[in-house]
């Protein structure tokens, strides 16, 4: 992975786009160079201020990815961004107007709150800065708007009425909190069907935790053959109303009531176990998805490193072949004739200064 310099970071920010691959690639590079976290976050904030409105959202998604995916490596980015985000949210609230941008940032804050990325009071401060600055900007724009004439007022009233109907219809068809939480783990969609930038999945579980969850599922209620056999062998009298007419005395009725109560208790207990199992299986599904995503990411990194090392090996082998070819073309010194020709050796230094 290339070395970190501010110039290289600025180039990567200029090339950054809203695709998942682009955000993840730069995020991994920043996490790798986390020892420069202070300089990185400072540069990120400065470039966010200078970025056009559509790209500010991409900058925020990059920060979101770095904050969430760097937690395992260390708390550096989380702490550093916590100090920079108030300025970022206030700046966006004051300078931006796109509803899609504010909706996406609201979902980011909701995800941070659900996953405990920051304390609730910190997230509430971010939300307040974003909305207050936006409200101040709207108020300022409204104060400078010229008064409407009668025709414009009727048009504006009609537009607000239609917007209200649209919002009411949208609120009736909006997803529940659970659905919104589930959807936050994939690419988000706005009301027009356009894809918003990438929101990373949850933190991948450790292999030991995943193994424990799988073992727990093996001993779940649906695999309890003993209880299932007991339920299958319950007498039909306890579930058939027509059998009540066959009761002959009070003792038979009391025995049947006792059987019914025991069956109800057995079924209630088993249903509760099944409900708990369904919840565990849902959690296991999320764990498996996050674990698989992490493994795919690690595999992609390993394959990339493998390709890099293969290229380095090929270069080394090429140099090795060149050296061998060069050596094979050098003359064999042992085959050269004796150039001294039997001449007397040169005098030594002692001989030169020897005074006779």
């Amino acid at each position: 992975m290339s070395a970190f310099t501010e110039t290289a970071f600025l180039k990567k920010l200029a090339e950054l786009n809203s695709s998942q691959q682009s955000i993840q690639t730069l995020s991994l590079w920043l996490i790798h160079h986390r020892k420069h976290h202070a300089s990185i976050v400072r540069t990120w904030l400065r470039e966010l201020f200078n970025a056009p409105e559509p790209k500010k959202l991409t900058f925020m998604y990059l920060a979101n990815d770095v904050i969430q995916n760097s937690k395992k490596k260390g708390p550096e980015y989380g702490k550093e961004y916590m100090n920079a985000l108030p300025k970022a949210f206030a700046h966006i609230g004051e300078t931006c107007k796109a509803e899609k941008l504010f909706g996406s940032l609201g979902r980011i804050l909701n995800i941070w709150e659900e996953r405990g990325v920051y304390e609730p009071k910190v997230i509430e401060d971010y939300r307040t800065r974003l909305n207050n600055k936006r409200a101040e900007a709207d108020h300022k724009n409204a104060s400078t708007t010229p008064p409407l004439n009668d025709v414009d007022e009727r048009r504006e009233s009609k537009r607000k009425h239609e917007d209200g109907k649209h919002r009411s219809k949208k609120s009736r068809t909006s997803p529940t909190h659970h659905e919104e939480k589930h959807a936050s783990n994939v690419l988000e969609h706005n009301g027009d069907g356009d894809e918003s930038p990438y929101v990373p999945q949850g933190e991948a579980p450790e292999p030991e935790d995943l193994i424990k969850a799988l073992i727990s599922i093996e001993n779940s209620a649906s695999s309890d053959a003993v209880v299932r056999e007991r339920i299958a062998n319950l007498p039909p009298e306890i579930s058939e109303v027509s059998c009540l007419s066959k009761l002959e005395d009070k003792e038979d009725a009391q025995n049947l009531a006792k059987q019914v109560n025991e069956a109800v208790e057995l079924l209630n207990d088993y249903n509760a176990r099944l409900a708990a199992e369904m919840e565990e299986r849902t959690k296991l599904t999320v764990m498996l998805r996050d674990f698989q995503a992490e493994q795919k990411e690690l595999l992609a990194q390993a394959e990339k490193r493998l390709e890099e090392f293969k290229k380095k090996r090929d270069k080394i082998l090429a140099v090795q072949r060149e050296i061998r070819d060069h050596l094979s073309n050098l003359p064999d010194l042992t085959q050269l004739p004796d150039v001294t020709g039997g001449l007397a050796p040169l005098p030594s230094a002692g001989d030169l200064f020897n005074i006779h």
Side-chain angles (χ1 to χ4, degrees), residues 244-291:
L244 294 177
S245 60
K246 299 179 182 179
L247 296 175
E248 298 179 353
D249 51 30
K250 183 178 179 180
E251 184 178 354
D252 291 342
Q254 289 177 343
N255 290 334
L256 180 60
K258 182 179 179 181
Q259 290 179 330
V260 170
N261 291 335
E262 291 176 351
V264 169
E265 183 179 355
L266 176 64
L267 292 171
N268 284 340
D269 179 66
Y270 190 63
N271 286 338
R273 291 175 59 194
L274 287 174
E277 179 186 345
M278 289 177 62
E279 186 175 349
E280 288 181 4
R281 287 185 181 275
T282 302
K283 293 179 180 178
L284 178 60
T285 301
V286 176
M287 292 174 68
L288 287 170
R289 181 205 62 207
D290 293 341
F291 185 78

Side-chain angles (χ1 to χ4, degrees), residues 23-24 27-28 31 62-74 77 115 198-204 297:
I23 293 172
Q24 279 187 325
S27 174
L28 290 172
I31 293 173
L62 173 64
N64 175 45
D65 196 285
V66 172
I67 291 169
Q68 293 203 59
N69 291 321
S70 66
K71 288 191 295 184
K72 281 187 175 182
K73 302 289 186 180
Y77 275 117
R115 297 179 181 175
Y198 167 72
V199 174
Q201 295 180 332
E203 186 174 330
E297 182 180 317

Side-chain angles (χ1 to χ4, degrees), residues 72-261:
K72 281 187 175 182
K73 302 289 186 180
E76 299 93 343
Y77 275 117
K79 293 180 179 179
E80 196 69 31
Y81 268 110
M82 186 172 65
N83 298 325
L85 285 171
K87 298 178 182 178
F89 281 112
H91 166 74
I92 292 174
E94 187 174 4
T95 60
C96 299
K97 301 182 183 301
E99 292 293 333
K100 178 181 176 181
L101 171 60
F102 287 96
S104 298
L105 292 180
R107 283 191 289 275
I108 289 179
L109 292 173
N110 291 338
I111 292 169
W112 287 356
E113 191 169 13
E114 291 166 3
R115 297 179 181 175
V117 176
Y118 289 120
E119 294 292 331
K121 62 180 182 180
V122 175
I123 295 175
E124 188 59 33
D125 176 64
Y126 296 160
R127 189 177 284 114
T128 301
R129 289 174 183 271
L130 179 67
N131 295 329
N132 283 357
K133 289 295 183 180
R134 183 188 183 191
E136 289 176 7
D138 292 343
H139 179 72
K140 183 178 180 181
N141 292 335
S143 63
T144 58
T145 303
L148 300 175
N149 56 34
D150 293 341
V151 176
D152 292 335
E153 285 182 357
R154 286 197 295 270
R155 289 176 179 173
E156 183 68 12
S157 176
K158 182 179 179 181
R159 186 188 65 79
K160 290 182 178 180
H161 178 67
E162 291 176 351
D163 289 346
K165 288 171 63 178
H166 176 70
R167 284 194 297 268
S168 177
K169 181 179 179 181
K170 186 175 180 180
S171 65
R172 288 196 298 270
T173 58
S174 62
T176 62
H177 173 73
H178 174 74
E179 291 170 341
E180 181 179 341
K181 183 177 180 181
H182 175 71
S184 68
N185 292 319
V186 296
L187 287 176
E188 296 178 354
H189 298 269
N190 63 18
D192 300 327
D194 298 329
E195 288 188 353
S196 294
Y198 167 72
V199 174
Q201 295 180 332
E203 186 174 330
E206 296 294 335
E208 295 80 6
D209 297 333
L210 188 58
I211 292 172
K212 289 179 182 178
L214 289 169
I215 293 175
S216 175
I217 290 297
E218 289 182 356
N219 302 322
S220 58
S222 59
S223 60
D224 192 342
V226 176
V227 175
R228 292 172 62 183
E229 185 177 0
R230 285 180 60 191
I231 294 174
N233 293 332
L234 289 173
E237 293 83 6
I238 65 173
S239 58
E240 294 291 339
V241 180
S242 59
C243 294
L244 294 177
S245 60
K246 299 179 182 179
L247 296 175
E248 298 179 353
D249 51 30
K250 183 178 179 180
E251 184 178 354
D252 291 342
Q254 289 177 343
N255 290 334
L256 180 60
K258 182 179 179 181
Q259 290 179 330
V260 170
N261 291 335

